[in-house]
Amino acid sequence: MILSGLSGWLPPRTVGNSDVLAHLPEGLSEEWIVQRTGIRERRRVDPDMSTSDMAVRAAAPLVASTPGRIDAVVVATTTPDFPIPATAPIVAAELGLVEAAAWDVNSACSGFITGLAAVTSMIAAGVFGRALLIGADAMSTVVDRSDRNTAILFGDGAGAVLLEADSGAESGSFGPFDLGSDGGNTKLVGIDAGGSRQRSRTGSCAADHDHYLHMAGPELFTHAVRRMTASSATAIKDAGWEPSDVDWLVAHQANARILSAVADRLGIPEERCVVNVDLVGNTSAASIPLAMAHLHRSGRVRAGDRVLLTAFGAGLAWGSTTLAWPDLPH
């Protein structure tokens, strides 16, 4: 199977660090945010815009440029439009893909890699000939703007890829996947309200803060670096590569310090690391495809370049794979 199309979309509204600080306790500074996260600005959806709206905008160019049938639409997201139904059928309908198979993947920030493993496997098995995988999250809708642990980090956006049966060309092909999870640490990051656990409690009424994302930053930092490093090393080894063979590291854009630590442990030079977290923040499931689109627009990547993809998120869940960069139009 190969990656034959790539597209990204960001809301036009830019939110700088000064805007974020307006809702946080006094004593913090823009420089404090930059030093802690590497983030200078992020995007935010306008009122009445949802995850499906962003997903449609990200995928529309791929649909418009694809003459053949698209058999499936998969949306990786932690911020679905509704608990029920899934967001993917809504997106498929808006894109005019009538009767395409459609479902969501909820694996938080690692959702795109998880979805990529599932969809490429189905294509390889002959279930689908061509599929859209979209990573989209409206994180601003689940972040408490007065919470210094989360408000400084997250932004909104969507990225999409078109995947199809292998034509025999090496360019655009994926290597083996490495996936994992650690459900014993689910409480480190998540949203407590809205699910069956909270709703099944007799007479339960969730507190306002339970509807927002919470996270234990220092512990997550340690897990993220360790898990992405180990998973990446496995993916590299299984692909028959050495770390020195990696032309580009496209890691989940959690924050700049995590990116730097993972690259350092893998022995990948800083100049080979794709970084756009400074401009878009942590966009959860949209992070990897948006970083890929950022690399493509930069003009630095060439067809056949060896790319390592890795991500880590709530669950805890993580995943990695390799990619021979496709020959994509500019």
Side-chain angles (χ1 to χ4, degrees), residues 83-100:
I84 300 174
T87 299
I90 299 171
V91 173
E94 288 292 325
L95 291 171
L97 302 178
V98 180
E99 298 186 355

Side-chain angles (χ1 to χ4, degrees), residues 23 48 61 65 70 80 84 93 97 119 123-124 130 162 170 179 214 233 297 313 327:
H23 301 275
D48 298 325
S65 62
I70 295 177
I84 300 174
L97 302 178
V119 175
I123 292 175
R130 183 182 288 124
L162 185 68
E170 179 182 350
L179 304 175
H214 66 81
R297 288 193 305 271
D327 185 10

Side-chain angles (χ1 to χ4, degrees), residues 239-301:
W241 299 358
E242 297 292 337
S244 58
D245 294 326
V246 176
D247 295 305
W248 301 103
L249 169 63
V250 181
H252 166 53
Q253 305 287 301
N255 73 52
R257 291 167 56 228
I258 289 177
L259 296 177
S260 178
V262 171
D264 182 65
R265 292 192 178 193
L266 290 171
I268 297 175
E270 181 179 346
E271 60 269 19
R272 297 184 188 178
C273 300
V274 178
V275 178
N276 70 336
V277 68
D278 55 325
L279 302 175
V280 302
N282 182 338
T283 55
S284 191
S287 173
I288 294 288
L290 283 174
M292 292 170 66
H294 178 84
L295 174 62
H296 180 55
R297 288 193 305 271
S298 74
R300 296 179 295 161
V301 64

